[in-house]
Amino acid sequence: METYYVNGFFKRRNSAKISVEDRGFNFSDGVYELISYLDEKLIFFEKHYSRLSKSLLSLKISSPLSNKKILKLIIKRLIKLNKIKSGYIYIQITRGTAKRNHVYSQQIPPNLVIFCLPLRKIEKFKRGVKVRTSEDLRWGRCDVKSISLLPNILEKQIAFNQGYYETWQTKDNYITEGTTSNAFIVDRNGSIRTYPKSKHILGGVTRDVIIQIAKKKSIKIIEKAFTLNDVKYCKEAFLTSTTVKILPVIKVNDMKINTMKIGEITKILTYNINKKING
């Protein structure tokens, strides 16, 4: 049976509980982080911890842990208890438990839940995935990794129902990002294009690592929004996330990318991020 960490205690799944007055449950008043790990080694932990801290600061939620060393110890203990050598760590922090009221007290202690998830099987996606596009209906602070994910969930489900892997969202005709991933293209000049870091996208950890790799390989990176017309004439496309790292995109709506073959730049980036992760 799975073991969860809840507010200072390691508990079996059936006894791992949070009050129905938790503000995360009532208002989506909280943040989360997902960290992958391989053979019990946390991947890009420092970057994930930094993003978690920024999300908490943005929502003015106090951290339930005094430092990252304590968090790492808890995670390592969870991995051992669950006997899942490779997988994902899910961390959720809400503002806390209180009577339902939009106005909250600054004195509420936050609620913290951490648990393990097994690795997703993504082998079939490595040959390339298809994505659709839809209007971006999310709130105005997408840079905060909030647990309020309803627009993402609805669009991801539509994609699944229609036989697509993902939905890329558009704002003012520009593609911002996917419901669970960041979006990239390689333009006609061989430059990588992706939406710039701003309040309109979540600054993905894997996104940032891919950009670093590209720069080291002297591949030009342009953090500039692109349109569906840019997609129509691009050489390659791919997406990134913590769960899948990098996947080639071979079709967007009805547009075939690179005759539905994996591009050379995508192959280079895939090889190098796997090398970085595996040490």
Side-chain angles (χ1 to χ4, degrees), residues 11 33 70 96 98 117-118 131 160 165 167 175 182 194 197-198 208 213 218 224 240 247 252 254:
K11 296 185 176 184
E33 195 66 41
I70 294 175
L117 294 166
V131 305
F160 176 81
Y165 174 81
T167 296
I175 293 171
N182 288 113
T194 191
K197 265 193 176 181
S198 68
D208 292 349
I213 291 172
S218 299
K224 182 180 179 182
T240 63
L247 290 178
V252 178
D254 60 350

Side-chain angles (χ1 to χ4, degrees), residues 164-231:
Y164 294 91
Y165 174 81
E166 172 68 299
T167 296
W168 278 1
Q169 300 163 110
T170 63
K171 185 181 291 291
D172 300 325
N173 294 322
Y174 291 103
I175 293 171
T176 51
E177 60 184 341
T179 63
T180 60
S181 62
N182 288 113
F184 295 78
I185 62 168
V186 178
D187 66 22
R188 286 176 288 184
N189 298 317
S191 300
I192 297 174
R193 293 268 298 273
T194 191
Y195 202 93
K197 265 193 176 181
S198 68
K199 65 182 181 179
H200 298 306
I201 69 164
L202 177 68
V205 167
T206 306
R207 170 194 181 277
D208 292 349
V209 173
I210 286 292
I211 288 173
Q212 290 172 0
I213 291 172
K215 288 178 178 178
K216 285 183 179 179
K217 294 296 175 182
S218 299
I219 302 170
K220 189 174 181 180
I221 286 280
I222 303 173
E223 293 189 62
K224 182 180 179 182
F226 59 88
T227 66
L228 274 172
N229 192 57
D230 294 317
V231 173

Side-chain angles (χ1 to χ4, degrees), residues 107-277:
Q107 308 306 315
I108 304 172
N111 285 325
L112 169 63
V113 175
I114 310 174
F115 55 85
C116 298
L117 294 166
L119 275 179
R120 286 180 57 191
K121 294 180 180 179
I122 63 168
E123 292 304 316
K124 65 178 180 178
F125 300 125
K126 291 182 179 180
R127 297 189 295 272
V129 297
K130 302 173 185 178
V131 305
R132 62 184 285 276
T133 58
S134 180
E135 184 182 357
D136 193 338
L137 298 176
R138 299 171 299 164
W139 75 313
R141 287 298 310 276
C142 298
D143 55 314
V144 177
K145 201 166 176 66
S146 162
I147 60 175
S148 181
L149 293 172
L150 189 56
N152 304 59
I153 290 167
L154 294 176
E155 290 299 333
K156 187 75 173 185
Q157 186 65 39
I158 292 171
F160 176 81
N161 292 344
Q162 294 181 356
Y164 294 91
Y165 174 81
E166 172 68 299
T167 296
W168 278 1
Q169 300 163 110
T170 63
K171 185 181 291 291
D172 300 325
N173 294 322
Y174 291 103
I175 293 171
T176 51
E177 60 184 341
T179 63
T180 60
S181 62
N182 288 113
F184 295 78
I185 62 168
V186 178
D187 66 22
R188 286 176 288 184
N189 298 317
S191 300
I192 297 174
R193 293 268 298 273
T194 191
Y195 202 93
K197 265 193 176 181
S198 68
K199 65 182 181 179
H200 298 306
I201 69 164
L202 177 68
V205 167
T206 306
R207 170 194 181 277
D208 292 349
V209 173
I210 286 292
I211 288 173
Q212 290 172 0
I213 291 172
K215 288 178 178 178
K216 285 183 179 179
K217 294 296 175 182
S218 299
I219 302 170
K220 189 174 181 180
I221 286 280
I222 303 173
E223 293 189 62
K224 182 180 179 182
F226 59 88
T227 66
L228 274 172
N229 192 57
D230 294 317
V231 173
K232 183 178 180 180
Y233 296 104
C234 76
K235 288 183 175 180
E236 304 175 35
F238 59 90
L239 58 82
T240 63
S241 74
T242 291
T243 53
V244 301
K245 302 305 179 282
I246 180 171
L247 290 178
V249 172
I250 57 175
K251 192 174 184 182
V252 178
N253 294 333
D254 60 350
M255 295 181 287
K256 294 180 180 179
I257 309 298
N258 193 35
T259 63
M260 299 185 75
K261 296 178 182 178
I262 303 173
E264 291 304 312
I265 288 178
T266 304
K267 289 178 181 177
I268 291 169
L269 297 174
T270 301
Y271 171 80
N272 281 278
I273 194 169
N274 287 335
K275 184 179 177 182
K276 191 177 186 71
I277 289 169

